[in-house]
Amino acid sequence: MKLRLHHVNVVSDDMGELHEFYSKALGLTMAPLPPMIEHLGHQNERTEAEDDDKWRQNVAFFDASGDSDGDQQIHAGRRQAYLGARMGHAVNPLATGHFAFRTDDLDEVRKHLTDAGIPFSDYGEWAVKNWDQIFLTDPAGNVIEIHQILDSSND
């Protein structure tokens, strides 16, 4: 089971404050958003560039890799206190934030966690198109995401 640290997700009630801090105070470049999936109410993919303004009110990805590969990121998101409950999951990745690992075999990870008796919430493909995601907590209550890219053309 191979995991690679991919991103840290921070949440706030004030997205402008997060944009300002990560772009100006830390000098991180805002990365283009991948195709997103609307998860508040119904499933609609973000496909048009003009939707970026709407999405930027709720999420931003910043390149934190220090080079051009963009494989390490900060994801800034609007806090959504009731997301987990609304979606029928015990783990809410947008209440306090989380850190995320990427894997090439999420089924192996699911089996490993199940065999070890570690509960997780299987969100599937719900926020980012082509990302299959699960969320769990460590014993201290920190939320962890593990995801796999379903279509390597949208890495």
Side-chain angles (χ1 to χ4, degrees), residues 17-139:
E17 183 177 70
L18 287 181
H19 284 218
E20 179 91 8
F21 180 79
Y22 286 100
S23 64
K24 293 188 179 167
L26 296 185
L28 300 180
T29 302
M30 193 177 295
L33 287 174
M36 304 293 289
I37 299 172
E38 178 70 51
H39 56 85
L40 300 175
H42 58 286
Q43 301 281 10
N44 285 331
E45 293 179 24
R46 179 192 72 84
T47 56
E48 300 296 327
E50 59 265 16
D51 287 344
D52 277 351
D53 286 339
K54 179 188 89 166
W55 282 97
R56 294 276 182 222
Q57 295 172 22
N58 292 298
V59 65
F61 289 9
F62 293 90
D63 183 356
S65 61
D67 54 33
S68 62
D69 73 1
D71 201 31
Q72 294 173 325
Q73 303 174 350
I74 301 290
H75 292 181
R78 182 175 303 283
R79 183 181 326 279
Q80 297 181 38
Y82 302 115
L83 176 76
R86 275 197 321 252
M87 296 188 67
H89 292 294
V91 180
N92 180 350
L94 297 179
T96 60
H98 60 271
F99 59 94
F101 293 100
R102 181 169 283 179
T103 184
D104 294 328
D105 191 346
L106 192 56
D107 286 337
E108 178 185 4
V109 173
R110 287 181 179 104
K111 181 178 180 339
H112 177 81
L113 294 172
T114 300
D115 290 349
I118 299 170
F120 58 90
S121 290
D122 196 333
Y123 275 71
E125 183 184 12
W126 74 281
V128 179
K129 183 156 178 56
N130 295 320
W131 286 21
D132 188 8
Q133 298 171 283
I134 64 171
F135 294 89
L136 60 142
T137 60
D138 68 14

